[in-house]
Amino acid sequence: MTIFYICPWSPKPTGGIKQIFRHVEALNAAGFDAYVLALEPKMPAWFDSSAAIAKVKAQRRFWDLRRSARRKNQIPWLTASVGPEIEIARPGARALERRLGASDIIVLPEYFGKALQPCGFGSKLVVFNQNAHYTFTGFAHSDSLNGFIYRGHVLGALGVSQHICEYLQFAFRELPVLLTPNGVDGTRFFPGGEKKKQIAFMPRKLPTSIVQVLQMLRGRGSLEGWTLCPIDGMSEADVARSLRESAIFLSTCHDEGFGLPPLEAGASACVVVGYTGYAAREFMLPQYCYPIAQGDVLGFAQTLEAVLAEFTRDPQRLQQQAADYADFLRTHYSKEVEGRSVVEAWQQLCGLTAQRQGLAPMPAHV
């Protein structure tokens, strides 16, 4: 049995794609025959990964590759009666070519929503749901759920946060949902050196909130002496370096499945101020952070102003709070904790597969 995580194509770094690679890394390390299944022959490389890679060889004669990234992420071959040809490569081994088939498990991204379809060539399916708010994409309020893939057509779903798991369990009562919380790479994101009076943020996430908050404070003179550090289009190494230097991180999560940016900022000993996007509530705790009610721009600006003023007067308390937060995240949201949860989830999923086929449960070293 071989596991293939479909990897969407994107021209810019995304946390969701990074987590696909992290899952496969953990499975490879545990002895599972697992691969990142790339939909494009050339995938961007924004971070280092040891994950085994497979590529779909099917020719897309009718595709215009100049169109949007979402066009590249279509998987029309999923409903075909014969699986596509793939090329499998592991470091130090010869490439292997074969077709996807009934002995395989294909892990689908959640963002296709209604377009997710049962597999035509017999592969078993799992949904890797990194944002439950995309689950019903493509549905109208009056559409029937008959035939929806979550209702009897998948082995189960993997959710990266408590929020996702609760959402899916409420929406689909019979669906096995397994929690695989994201972890932060402590070799990359860690406290380091003296903090600058620098405010890091991600300008692509809720840009209108960012503009309002920062312009209100600029008008009040509260940003004097502070440097703004927009994090956008950077490599993972550059992001980590910027967070280690920054005293403050502005979280503008919106309808998130997890909220990786504030996690990485907290692990880098930033003082985190802002929205949780709902999912990040589980780790943006008020004893360590300054969570703001979703959409409360005024409250965001007022809280940030108070934090900046305290840091300017005497940063010691805030720096200790940020250091304690980094310790908390290192204990509860490490890459090692994530890896163990991924392996345990797949041991359960393989057991479900064996039950459906009337076989003995499979050992951990699939």
Side-chain angles (χ1 to χ4, degrees):
M1 181 179 297
T2 305
I3 301 166
F4 294 96
Y5 273 70
I6 288 181
C7 182
W9 187 96
S10 175
K12 294 184 178 181
T14 69
I17 289 179
K18 181 165 67 174
Q19 292 312 118
I20 290 172
F21 278 81
R22 298 293 179 251
H23 273 221
V24 174
E25 287 174 357
L27 292 174
N28 290 162
F32 284 76
D33 192 23
Y35 300 86
V36 173
L37 182 59
L39 298 180
E40 286 292 310
K42 185 176 181 181
M43 300 290 285
W46 317 295
F47 53 89
D48 298 326
S49 175
S50 61
I53 305 292
K55 296 180 179 180
V56 176
K57 293 189 65 180
Q59 296 295 315
R60 293 173 290 279
R61 298 185 184 90
F62 306 108
W63 285 32
D64 180 355
L65 297 183
R66 294 170 297 179
R67 293 186 180 179
S68 68
R70 186 167 294 277
R71 179 73 169 172
K72 295 185 180 186
N73 289 331
Q74 293 180 0
I75 45 175
W77 46 262
L78 186 64
T79 56
S81 59
V82 178
E85 290 186 359
I86 60 172
E87 180 179 278
I88 297 175
R90 276 186 179 272
R94 291 182 58 186
L96 170 68
E97 296 184 4
R98 69 169 178 86
R99 288 187 179 275
L100 291 175
S103 63
D104 299 316
I105 298 178
I106 298 175
V107 184
L108 302 168
E110 85 295 332
Y111 67 85
F112 284 110
K114 187 179 183 180
L116 288 175
Q117 298 291 322
C119 183
F121 46 87
S123 290
K124 288 161 282 296
L125 302 177
V126 170
V127 177
F128 183 25
N129 196 308
Q130 298 193 66
N131 194 329
H133 302 279
Y134 296 153
T135 300
F136 294 100
T137 297
F139 278 92
H141 71 276
S142 57
D143 287 348
S144 170
L145 292 177
N146 291 337
F148 193 26
I149 196 169
Y150 286 93
R151 304 184 71 182
H153 298 287
V154 294
L155 291 174
L158 302 173
V160 298
S161 68
Q162 296 170 9
H163 176 66
I164 289 176
C165 291
E166 291 169 1
Y167 183 112
L168 294 178
Q169 287 165 342
F170 182 81
F172 311 106
R173 286 177 290 186
E174 305 301 320
L175 177 71
V177 182
L178 302 170
L179 176 63
T180 57
N182 289 340
V184 65
D185 184 351
T187 65
R188 180 78 79 181
F189 296 93
F190 56 88
E194 185 176 351
K195 291 286 191 178
K196 299 178 181 179
K197 290 182 65 176
Q198 180 168 287
I199 303 169
F201 59 96
M202 299 189 71
R204 68 181 177 85
K205 286 184 173 286
L206 289 183
T208 57
S209 285
I210 288 286
V211 169
Q212 291 178 75
V213 168
L214 293 179
Q215 291 293 16
M216 276 195 276
L217 296 194
R218 177 171 285 108
R220 292 169 59 84
S222 303
L223 295 180
E224 291 181 10
W226 287 86
T227 301
L228 300 181
C229 178
I231 294 177
D232 189 35
M234 295 182 181
S235 68
E236 186 181 47
D238 289 337
V239 170
R241 188 178 306 109
S242 296
L243 292 175
R244 280 196 298 275
E245 295 174 349
S246 300
I248 310 293
F249 178 79
L250 307 185
S251 176
T252 47
C253 295
H254 174 65
D255 287 354
E256 297 289 334
F258 183 79
L260 200 57
L263 183 78
E264 293 174 340
S268 304
C270 295
V271 177
V272 178
V273 182
Y275 305 145
T276 67
Y278 307 110
R281 286 178 299 192
E282 68 181 76
F283 61 84
M284 279 183 62
L285 304 176
Q287 61 265 43
Y288 299 120
C289 302
Y290 296 87
I292 306 298
Q294 204 68 25
D296 181 6
V297 174
L298 177 58
F300 196 155
Q302 291 170 332
T303 301
L304 178 58
E305 183 180 58
V307 169
L308 297 181
E310 179 179 349
F311 193 95
T312 298
R313 288 194 309 271
D314 182 1
Q316 185 174 353
R317 188 193 71 82
L318 288 171
Q319 289 178 331
Q320 185 59 56
Q321 177 179 297
D324 292 343
Y325 190 34
D327 288 341
F328 168 79
L329 295 178
R330 188 160 48 247
T331 300
H332 297 282
Y333 287 90
S334 68
K335 188 177 177 182
E336 292 72 28
V337 170
E338 176 188 24
R340 287 195 298 270
S341 73
V342 170
V343 171
E344 291 169 1
W346 275 103
Q347 288 171 350
Q348 294 184 54
L349 287 172
C350 288
L352 292 173
T353 304
Q355 291 173 20
R356 290 191 180 187
Q357 294 177 337
L359 303 174
M362 300 187 70
H365 60 283
V366 176

